[in-house]
Amino acid sequence: MPADLAVIGLGHLGLPLAQAATAAGIGTIGYDTDPRPVAELAAGRPPVDGSLTPSEIRRMLSTGFRPTAHPDELGRVRTAVICAPTPPDAASRTLDLTAVTDAARALAARLRPYTTVLLESPVPPGTTEDVLRPILEEGSGLCAGRDFHLAYSPTRLDPGDRADGHAHIPKVIGGLTSACTESAAAFYGRLTDKVVRARGPREAETVKLLETNFRHVNIALVNEMAVLCHELGVDLWDVIRCAETKPFGFQAFRPGPGVGGHGAPVDTVGPHLPLRLVETASRINERMPQYVIRRSATLLNEHGKSVRGARILLLGVTYKPDLADREGSPAPEIAGRLTDMGATVGYHDPYVPVWRVRDVPVPRADSLYEAAADADLTILLQHHRTYDLQGLAVKAQLLLDTRGATPVGTAHRL
């Protein structure tokens, strides 16, 4: 099958898109500047984040998907989608666009007329026009909106959700011109049931900003409620259960020991453009690992134990239930701080066979219930479906469930 599409960036954004395109019969190549994921995929091995299974990778390869580290391949397609990562920059509290600009330069040198270029990476509003467009035009000698189409479309996949793929999630598109929007719509229309046209790239980019910050702000709210409910002796989970019966004006979020995932909150869009509410939400969520540590120490003290010398078992070190992805998980910070305080930390996670914190291997429990029985404190950070809370509460000397604020069985909830 001749390649019609190039997906640039073979991570958690690009691979699901390549999978959907291949399944739709679109000849697809996957380009990455790092040869390691290219070699792994070519050998049929899935990424470590668990976004795709080995059988899914093999099916993609058998239907024509071709991973490559050779940029010359980019000059042979009609559509190129940039799915490069944009990790948060801790110093500036903005997104690092290095991978996006590197991808743009690789594409620009090989860009042909009439190609449709799409950006899906999370970026600050204005990136498509102010950053991506100049690189593509300067490197190719072509003019965006006249010689090639340029548009932005925010990624919306829910990692680990096998039910709602590209086909059932509406795709927002904002093109540089109306012709750019329609060209992008024609491509995405082959993958999804519904295309939503934004007024332009900046509006489409801001859609992603709003959706990501919406999640973080609401998690911060429910995390503050978890702390409050613990102080009041109120069962937050019962509160949420009742509140979510309201048929309007409420969406249920659950508390946790922090916020993980690839969608980092953006609280500074540009010079003198801070988002104050998002700043506050970020601070609240960033404090949750320390709150877990304090509650752990308090529980141990109540039972005549100290953190120093305590045997502590962490359950679930991924950022999301039933998924191997550890991006942004608060577990490493919690494990590191407990270790600094003198605790002996081990872990159990059915999706993570090997785990290192600060480049030091963390002992993995082979038998969950035996490990819980031996531990002075068991902390449930992520509730995978395989975990039996009542069974753990019986086995564990102390069980700290970081999702709430009230007792669980004979143990404790944070």
Side-chain angles (χ1 to χ4, degrees):
M1 182 188 302
D4 187 44
L5 167 68
V7 175
I8 305 175
L10 297 178
H12 71 285
L13 299 178
L15 268 182
L17 175 63
Q19 180 191 28
T22 303
I26 300 173
T28 303
I29 62 169
Y31 170 76
D32 203 295
T33 56
D34 187 347
R36 289 173 296 181
V38 172
E40 291 291 300
L41 290 169
R45 291 187 288 269
V48 295
D49 63 11
S51 54
L52 294 182
T53 65
S55 62
E56 288 173 325
I57 296 295
R58 290 193 297 269
R59 191 177 304 118
M60 290 172 63
L61 294 171
S62 67
T63 52
F65 174 66
R66 190 159 45 84
T68 180
H70 300 293
D72 288 344
E73 299 273 4
L74 301 177
R76 303 189 179 109
V77 298
R78 293 194 303 172
T79 304
V81 186
I82 298 176
C83 299
T86 53
D89 184 292
S92 65
R93 301 188 70 87
T94 58
L95 300 178
D96 183 352
L97 302 180
T98 302
V100 169
T101 55
D102 287 347
R105 291 187 183 95
L107 176 61
R110 298 153 183 91
L111 190 62
R112 298 186 304 170
Y114 311 114
T115 302
T116 298
V117 179
L118 306 167
L119 177 61
E120 284 204 5
S121 305
V123 294
T127 300
T128 303
E129 293 175 273
D130 300 339
V131 178
L132 185 60
R133 178 182 182 178
I135 293 174
L136 294 174
E137 291 184 335
E138 181 179 350
S140 67
L142 303 176
C143 178
R146 185 191 68 191
D147 302 320
F148 67 94
H149 298 298
L150 180 62
Y152 182 83
S153 180
T155 183
R156 277 181 161 177
L157 287 183
D158 185 8
D161 186 351
R162 304 289 178 182
D164 291 323
H166 277 82
H168 305 299
I169 300 177
K171 203 75 170 103
V172 173
I173 299 163
L176 190 64
T177 65
S178 58
C180 292
T181 298
E182 293 311 311
S183 179
F187 166 71
Y188 283 117
R190 301 171 69 180
L191 307 180
T192 182
D193 297 335
K194 184 176 182 180
V195 171
V196 180
R197 293 165 174 80
R199 294 185 65 178
R202 291 174 189 264
E203 285 76 14
E205 292 162 336
T206 310
V207 167
K208 183 62 178 178
L209 178 72
L210 175 60
E211 292 174 350
T212 299
N213 285 342
F214 175 85
R215 171 176 175 256
H216 283 260
V217 166
N218 280 280
I219 291 176
L221 171 62
V222 79
N223 278 340
E224 277 211 306
M225 291 295 297
V227 176
L228 173 68
C229 286
H230 171 71
E231 298 299 325
L232 296 176
V234 171
D235 185 344
L236 174 64
W237 289 90
D238 190 56
V239 172
I240 295 173
R241 179 185 64 84
C242 294
E244 65 183 346
T245 62
K246 184 180 180 182
F248 57 90
F250 182 82
Q251 180 177 345
F253 284 79
R254 268 70 183 180
V259 181
H262 298 268
V266 177
D267 54 32
T268 303
V269 177
H272 314 300
L273 292 174
L275 294 169
R276 300 299 186 193
L277 183 60
V278 181
E279 284 182 334
T280 302
S282 296
R283 288 195 295 269
I284 292 169
N285 291 327
E286 288 165 1
R287 288 198 298 262
M288 289 308 292
Q290 184 58 42
Y291 178 68
V292 172
I293 302 300
R294 289 200 306 272
R295 288 286 296 123
S296 301
T298 300
L299 277 174
L300 287 168
N301 288 337
E302 288 174 356
H303 289 76
K305 298 179 183 294
S306 169
V307 174
R308 181 171 296 279
R311 295 163 299 176
I312 298 179
L313 177 67
L314 303 181
L315 301 184
V317 298
T318 62
Y319 93 85
K320 186 179 179 183
D322 308 310
L323 190 69
D325 198 339
R326 303 194 303 276
E327 180 69 26
S329 167
E333 181 180 351
I334 293 170
R337 292 192 180 195
L338 289 171
T339 301
D340 291 342
M341 295 170 70
T344 299
V345 178
Y347 86 102
H348 180 278
D349 194 305
Y351 298 92
V352 183
V354 178
W355 188 39
R356 300 176 69 89
V357 174
R358 301 174 180 170
D359 290 328
V360 177
V362 180
R364 184 178 188 272
D366 294 323
S367 171
L368 171 57
Y369 294 107
E370 289 181 10
D374 291 339
D376 296 310
L377 174 66
T378 298
I379 305 178
L380 180 68
L381 297 177
Q382 195 56 261
H383 190 190
H384 298 308
R385 273 193 295 258
T386 56
Y387 289 154
D388 172 15
L389 283 188
Q390 296 304 318
L392 287 171
V394 171
K395 291 287 185 181
Q397 294 185 42
L398 294 172
L399 172 62
L400 194 64
D401 182 350
T402 60
R403 304 171 307 144
T406 54
V408 172
T410 59
H412 293 267
R413 229 177 186 172
L414 180 62

